[in-house]
Amino acid sequence: MARIIGAIASSHTPTIGFALDANKQNDAVWAPIFKAYEPVRQWLDDKKPDVLLVVYNDHVTSFFFDHYSAFALGIGEEWRPADEGGGARDLPAVGGHAALARHIGQSLVADEFDMSFFQGKPLDHGCFSPLSIMWPQTKEGGWPGTIVPLQCGVLQFPVPSARRCFKLGQALRRAIESYPDDDLKVAIVATGGLSHQVHGERCGFNNTSWDNEFLDLFEKDPEVILNMTQAELAKLGGWEGAEIIMWMIMRGAMPARINCLHREYYLPSMTGIAVAVYESDVAVDPARQARANAEHLAHIGHQTAGAEELEGTYPFTLERSVAHYRINRYLHQLIQPDFRARFLADPDATYEEAGLTQEERDLISRRDWRGMIRYGVIFFLLEKLGAVVGVSNLHIYAAMRGESLEDFQKTRNTKALYSVAGKGAADTVDWNKDNKS
């Protein structure tokens, strides 16, 4: 099974990324930042983890308030730096470990965490600021390994409590350790904090004494922090500094007893910058761990056990979502009037723009409804395509069964035809005219 080899805690202020990009290594003001991260870089180089699970929060870059989740797990195959207003940082995209991510997602939902999942979104300084200084790219220009990003919604209240975050960390540990790959080495990276406030008349607030007390409690007595409210954390560390609840996710994923291998703190300006490395101080019984993992795997698969016996059924799993994200994303654009018009006028140009494979182009062009379902398209995008090209839902249902519309309707109580098309479009299609006559 996969192993958690240790954990890193780090502030994620954009100060870190700025200092790196501006080559401030030898500047007296900035040098302490680079010195603080040298042991972290060395630890990562020595341990060579395959995956970093990075706990961070987005800063209204890729996640806006039209849809804001408490916990969002990144399940994609690649992650690129976000443009936060002045252009993206000059960093290569980092690979995602999609297989581990979907296993974690399935495990967390089985443990009753109502997760949301994302792919195709860029990651802002919450992730890339610390990542770029602690895990430098190789000489070939890539990253030493892959990541799984876990985005926490800590900007719009209500937000999860410190204790809820800790429990999520405990569930993460069960998920990672039950992943069926004995050679996979995973490190947990918690980002955010320490004390700072960036809004209002209290802007610029810092509390060095609390920052150091927090680091002590985090290592030796986290229960004290778990009992604190957001208001109490904000009083001590600033409103935005209360994002340290994300550190509790990492703490929950580690054993009760941990060794602190490195810890450094520096307050250059607005944010107390802290970085630390931890390893387990608990011996693991392999036999007991193997039994626990086997029980947890059965727990993860309990809700869908037997689904494979349902003939003609293709559950839209995280695996199918990632593998066929491109064609589903393409068809989702049909909700946009401008794209619909371009699709109807010149579908080949839109295929090329989206980078669809020849197989995907053929499936759409031939209106192979059953073929698209089998390939990995979710049905609710098929009905959108049907609405655009003038095909009713009933025609699609019949085609998926390999039947004529007439034969399929013999299995229904009525011969009603319908579509998700708006009234204006519905009035123009032939099948609807025929139905009215």
Side-chain angles (χ1 to χ4, degrees):
M1 301 297 177
R3 292 182 293 126
I4 298 176
I5 61 171
I8 299 168
S10 172
S11 301
H12 65 210
T13 169
T15 305
I16 300 168
F18 169 81
L20 181 65
D21 294 347
N23 297 312
K24 298 288 188 179
Q25 290 88 335
N26 298 317
D27 187 302
V29 172
W30 304 97
I33 295 176
F34 295 93
K35 183 179 179 181
Y37 280 89
E38 284 175 6
V40 185
R41 292 164 64 125
Q42 187 60 54
W43 184 82
L44 286 167
D45 189 53
D46 292 342
K47 296 295 182 179
K48 292 181 171 51
D50 302 294
V51 186
L52 300 185
L53 190 147
V54 183
V55 184
Y56 80 107
N57 71 281
D58 175 87
H59 299 81
V60 199
T61 304
S62 294
F63 292 82
F64 190 60
F65 305 121
D66 54 348
H67 186 168
Y68 199 70
S69 303
F71 301 121
L73 184 69
I75 58 172
E77 296 178 331
E78 183 180 83
W79 305 102
R80 57 186 174 82
D83 184 336
E84 301 185 57
R89 292 180 64 198
D90 186 19
L91 295 171
V94 60
H97 200 299
L100 175 62
R102 65 174 175 261
H103 174 82
I104 291 172
Q106 291 167 333
S107 178
L108 293 179
V109 172
D111 279 348
E112 300 185 352
F113 282 90
D114 299 324
M115 304 298 296
S116 66
F117 304 97
F118 70 96
Q119 52 187 315
K121 290 182 179 292
L123 310 181
D124 74 2
H125 70 265
C127 176
F128 273 108
S129 189
L131 190 67
S132 60
I133 197 170
M134 69 172 63
W135 217 29
Q137 298 87 68
T138 64
K139 293 180 180 179
E140 293 75 25
W143 296 85
T146 58
I147 71 169
V148 173
L150 174 59
Q151 200 281 141
C152 301
V154 298
L155 302 185
Q156 177 178 267
F157 280 69
V159 304
S161 67
R163 188 171 297 279
R164 185 60 174 167
C165 289
F166 186 83
K167 290 180 179 179
L168 177 62
Q170 294 175 312
L172 273 174
R173 182 178 179 181
R174 291 190 292 271
I176 293 168
E177 291 182 341
S178 64
Y179 181 70
D181 185 339
D182 291 336
D183 297 324
L184 196 70
K185 295 186 294 183
V186 181
I188 313 293
V189 180
T191 76
L194 290 187
S195 68
H196 66 290
Q197 183 157 326
V198 296
H199 82 274
E201 290 80 357
R202 204 181 184 218
C203 178
F205 175 85
N206 298 108
N207 187 345
T208 297
S209 62
W210 161 243
D211 286 343
N212 284 289
E213 182 184 357
F214 168 78
L215 290 168
D216 291 340
L217 291 170
F218 178 81
E219 178 186 347
K220 301 181 184 304
D221 195 5
E223 186 68 19
V224 173
I225 303 170
L226 301 186
N227 288 327
M228 297 177 72
T229 67
Q230 283 287 324
E232 289 171 325
L233 291 171
K235 180 179 179 180
L236 289 166
W239 193 258
E240 282 75 31
E243 69 188 6
I244 53 176
I245 60 170
M246 294 187 294
W247 286 40
M248 305 317 297
I249 296 176
M250 177 267 274
R251 189 65 182 88
M254 295 294 288
R257 296 201 314 271
I258 56 175
N259 286 326
C260 181
L261 306 183
H262 169 68
R263 170 175 151 181
E264 194 61 69
Y265 175 85
Y266 179 51
L267 177 57
S269 179
M270 289 292 292
T271 303
I273 298 176
V275 61
V277 179
Y278 304 96
E279 288 185 356
S280 171
D281 189 30
V282 178
V284 176
D285 182 324
R288 183 167 60 242
Q289 185 64 57
R291 287 194 301 271
N293 290 341
E295 292 173 359
H296 191 65
L297 285 172
H299 168 64
I300 292 172
H302 173 69
Q303 292 294 333
T304 54
E308 68 281 358
E309 301 171 6
L310 301 174
E311 186 178 354
T313 303
Y314 309 91
F316 194 75
T317 61
L318 294 179
E319 183 176 8
R320 285 171 74 86
S321 178
V322 173
H324 305 292
Y325 180 68
R326 180 180 50 241
I327 188 171
N328 282 292
R329 180 177 59 183
Y330 171 84
L331 292 171
H332 184 251
Q333 294 176 94
L334 292 171
I335 66 173
Q336 303 169 11
D338 290 347
F339 182 80
R340 288 199 296 269
R342 291 198 294 121
F343 167 76
L344 292 172
D346 188 0
D348 288 336
T350 63
Y351 297 159
E352 190 67 25
E353 180 184 281
L356 298 188
T357 66
Q358 191 57 52
E359 180 182 9
E360 291 166 342
R361 299 176 192 211
D362 289 344
L363 286 168
I364 297 170
S365 296
R366 292 187 288 104
R367 315 292 190 245
D368 186 348
W369 309 107
R370 182 162 63 181
M372 283 188 275
I373 283 289
R374 288 176 171 175
Y375 181 77
V377 177
I378 193 167
F379 167 76
F380 302 99
L381 293 175
L382 296 190
E383 69 176 358
K384 291 173 176 56
L385 175 60
V388 172
V389 300
V391 176
S392 78
N393 279 38
L394 276 294
H395 284 85
I396 298 173
Y397 301 146
M400 286 193 293
R401 297 236 304 216
E403 298 174 353
S404 68
L405 177 63
E406 182 180 7
D407 287 340
F408 179 69
Q409 286 188 318
K410 290 177 182 178
T411 69
R412 307 296 96 193
N413 291 327
T414 71
K415 292 187 177 182
L417 296 178
Y418 58 87
S419 166
V420 294
K423 183 178 186 301
D427 285 343
T428 64
V429 293
D430 291 339
W431 60 261
N432 201 39
K433 292 178 181 177
D434 293 341
N435 193 44
K436 290 181 177 180
S437 61

